[in-house]
């Protein structure tokens, strides 16, 4: 099957996280043409390994899940699965990896190769499922590589930076409980709104005063719910938000600061609170400077992204290198947009880039 056909098939039939059964079936079908050992990771992950026993191992990873978005691209190969779309480019990541495998001259290898096709990147860190498998225990991994198509950067360009490339995150829910009263007797109730106002101001203080300018923190409250009547003070509120940082320890420090603030101030305002994490933390995606130097790559990005990606988990295995592949042409389409449809020719850009990285190990 040609790479263009594979890409169109993947785009036409996207599947949500941990439901990528047909996607994995297609990947396995394509890989059957090569001498690779296939390991299935329940429910929909797949790892392909060369049948070799060299001292060192190189790893490549592609994520495979789609998003709960209704496509509006009018492409001839647009999604046939209602309400599901490859709006984040994972179809290009898969097709690019498969095209890369097709171009490898396996008989010239002096390293073991592992190809990871990972589910669940969009929801709760499917990388963790992959890393739980003992397959990696017997490998000395010298490099782990991944890419992401990126609409803010020019078409076909290779973009990366030293150190932190993407943020780490902490998604939280804050539940506040207090005593409500009629607005004519506010002294009889809890000062819930005052606490929330103080908390938001404290977030701004953390952002501006407590972090290094080059290691910024982003704190956002995206949902607020509470109250029943306009003339009654609040008895409860629920706030949902996220914290993002460019350093794993810094994120932990900010969470501690917020927890300490709530502990002292809720007592002052006569409130009970529950501050808890609601999604798993994705570690920072970090590029190893030695890998950048080894491949003679230009670290051309000045600023990291505050987006998150579970590729950061793979640094547990060894040095990582993550690259943005630009998609921007005449118009810019954002990730997770119902109109996101980069050029299919990026399949070749991805595969050729991977082939270039692999070739550096032969020089």
């Amino acid at each position: 099957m040609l790479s263009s056909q594979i890409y169109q098939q993947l785009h036409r039939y996207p599947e949500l996280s941990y439901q990528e059964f047909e996607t994995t079936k297609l990947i396995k079908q394509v890989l059957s043409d090569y001498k690779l050992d296939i390991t299935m990771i329940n429910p929909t992950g797949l790892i392909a390994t060369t049948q070799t026993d060299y001292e060192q191992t190189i790893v490549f990873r592609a994520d495979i899940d789609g998003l709960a978005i209704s496509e509006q691209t009018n492409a001839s190969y647009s999604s046939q699965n209602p309400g599901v779309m490859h709006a984040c480019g994972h179809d290009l990541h898969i097709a690019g990896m498969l095209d890369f495998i097709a171009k490898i001259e396996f008989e010239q290898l002096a390293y073991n190769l592992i190809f990871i096709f990972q589910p669940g990147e969009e929801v709760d860190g499917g990388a963790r499922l992959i890393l739980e498998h003992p397959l990696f225990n017997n490998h000395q991994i010298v490099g782990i590589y991944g890419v992401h198509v990126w609409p803010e950067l020019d078409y076909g360009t290779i973009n990366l930076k030293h150190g932190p490339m993407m943020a780490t995150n902490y998604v939280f829910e804050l539940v506040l409980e207090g005593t409500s009263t009629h607005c004519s007797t506010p002294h009889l109730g809890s000062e819930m709104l005052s606490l929330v106002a103080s908390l938001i101001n404290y977030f701004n203080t953390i952002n501006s005063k407590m972090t290094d300018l080059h290691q910024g923190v982003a704190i956002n409250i995206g949902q607020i719910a509470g109250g029943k009547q306009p003339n009654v003070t609040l008895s409860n509120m629920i706030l949902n938000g996220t914290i993002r940082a460019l350093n794993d320890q810094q994120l932990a420090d900010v969470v501690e600061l917020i927890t300490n603030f709530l502990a002292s101030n809720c007592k002052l305002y006569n409130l009970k609170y529950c501050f808890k994490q609601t999604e798993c933390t994705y570690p920072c995606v970090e590029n190893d400077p030695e890998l950048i130097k080894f491949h003679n790559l230009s670290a051309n990005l000045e600023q990291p992204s505050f987006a998150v990606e579970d590729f950061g988990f793979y640094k547990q295995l060894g040095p990582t290198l993550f690259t943005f592949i630009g998609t921007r042409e005449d118009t810019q389409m954002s990730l997770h947009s119902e109109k996101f449809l980069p050029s299919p020719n990026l399949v070749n850009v991805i595969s050729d880039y991977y082939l270039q990285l692999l070739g550096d190990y032969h020089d």
Side-chain angles (χ1 to χ4, degrees):
M1 190 181 296
L2 298 175
S3 60
S4 59
Q5 294 175 318
I6 294 171
Y7 164 70
Q8 290 188 17
Q9 181 80 350
L10 290 165
H11 190 86
R12 189 177 285 119
Y13 298 105
E15 296 171 294
L16 295 176
S17 302
Y18 303 121
Q19 299 176 31
E20 311 98 328
F21 296 102
E22 291 303 314
T23 300
T24 304
K25 182 178 178 181
L26 175 60
I27 293 168
K28 189 175 182 181
Q29 176 188 338
V30 174
L31 294 180
S32 66
D33 291 338
Y34 307 96
K35 293 181 179 179
L36 297 168
D37 290 330
I38 304 298
T39 301
M40 302 304 298
I41 306 295
N42 187 51
T44 51
L46 185 152
I47 302 174
T49 310
T50 53
Q51 299 172 348
T52 52
D53 190 24
Y54 295 112
E55 181 180 352
Q56 297 179 320
T57 300
I58 307 167
V59 179
F60 296 88
R61 172 268 202 173
D63 37 14
I64 67 174
D65 48 337
L67 288 158
I69 294 173
S70 297
E71 183 166 354
Q72 297 180 23
T73 66
N74 296 318
S76 61
Y77 50 89
S78 62
S79 174
Q80 299 301 298
N81 291 342
V84 186
M85 178 189 175
H86 270 301
C88 203
H90 294 186
D91 47 354
L92 286 165
H93 302 167
I94 302 166
M97 179 98 98
L98 292 173
D99 194 49
F100 164 53
I101 293 171
K103 294 175 179 177
I104 296 173
E105 296 180 3
F106 286 95
E107 66 279 1
Q108 295 185 9
L109 292 177
Y111 295 80
N112 309 305
L113 297 183
I114 296 177
F115 306 101
I116 298 171
F117 294 89
Q118 179 213 303
E121 190 280 327
E122 295 289 357
V123 289
D124 65 350
R128 295 179 301 162
L129 285 179
I130 299 293
L131 291 171
E132 288 173 359
H133 199 279
L135 179 151
F136 300 100
N137 295 343
N138 301 320
H139 288 274
Q140 179 186 342
I141 296 173
V142 296
I144 306 154
Y145 299 91
V147 300
H148 204 301
V149 292
W150 211 253
E152 298 171 17
L153 301 167
D154 290 341
Y155 173 86
T157 55
I158 306 299
N159 305 271
L160 50 87
K161 68 178 294 294
H162 289 286
M165 180 82 169
M166 300 181 74
T168 179
N169 70 321
Y170 185 97
V171 181
F172 65 83
E173 178 185 79
L174 171 60
V175 178
L176 298 170
E177 295 183 355
T179 302
S180 65
T181 183
H182 192 271
C183 65
S184 63
T185 56
H187 59 287
L188 299 179
S190 303
E191 288 288 339
M192 190 169 294
L193 286 179
S194 297
L195 181 280
V196 172
S198 297
L199 179 63
I200 292 172
N201 285 331
Y202 187 61
F203 286 169
N204 293 330
T205 300
I206 292 174
N207 284 341
S208 63
K209 299 296 185 183
M210 297 185 180
T211 59
D212 185 285
L213 289 176
H214 301 289
Q215 293 288 330
V217 169
I219 307 175
N220 180 68
I221 296 176
Q223 293 176 307
I224 299 178
K228 296 180 180 179
Q229 298 293 333
N231 61 342
V232 177
T233 64
L234 293 164
S235 63
N236 61 80
M237 287 186 73
I238 300 176
L239 295 82
N240 290 283
T242 184
I243 308 164
R244 297 195 174 186
L246 297 173
N247 177 286
D248 295 338
Q249 183 57 52
Q250 187 177 54
L251 178 67
D253 291 343
V254 171
V255 171
E256 183 178 4
L257 286 171
I258 294 172
T259 301
N260 291 341
F261 176 91
L262 289 169
S264 59
N265 284 272
C266 283
K267 185 177 182 180
L268 176 66
Y269 288 109
N270 191 29
L271 296 168
K272 294 180 179 179
Y273 77 95
C274 177
F275 180 66
K276 65 180 181 180
Q277 185 174 10
T278 57
E279 296 181 14
C280 80
T281 292
Y282 284 16
C284 283
V285 174
E286 298 183 71
N287 285 334
D288 186 271
E290 292 302 315
L291 279 184
I292 295 175
K293 182 179 179 181
F294 172 73
H295 292 291
N296 195 28
L297 292 168
S298 173
N300 56 345
L301 287 182
E302 295 184 3
Q303 300 295 333
S305 170
F306 268 84
V308 297
E309 227 280 1
D310 74 354
F311 186 81
F313 283 106
Y314 290 102
K315 61 189 176 185
Q316 299 174 27
L317 296 178
T320 54
L321 184 68
F322 197 71
T323 305
F324 292 158
I325 307 292
T327 71
R328 183 172 58 200
E329 295 185 81
D330 295 334
T331 59
Q332 179 177 326
M333 301 169 289
S334 63
L335 294 173
H336 293 210
S337 162
E338 67 277 2
K339 296 184 181 297
F340 185 66
L341 190 72
S343 169
N345 293 329
L346 287 163
V347 170
N348 291 315
V349 175
I350 293 170
S351 62
D352 288 346
Y353 174 60
Y354 276 155
L355 204 63
Q356 172 193 329
L357 296 177
L358 182 60
D360 291 335
Y361 286 95
H362 300 316
D363 293 341

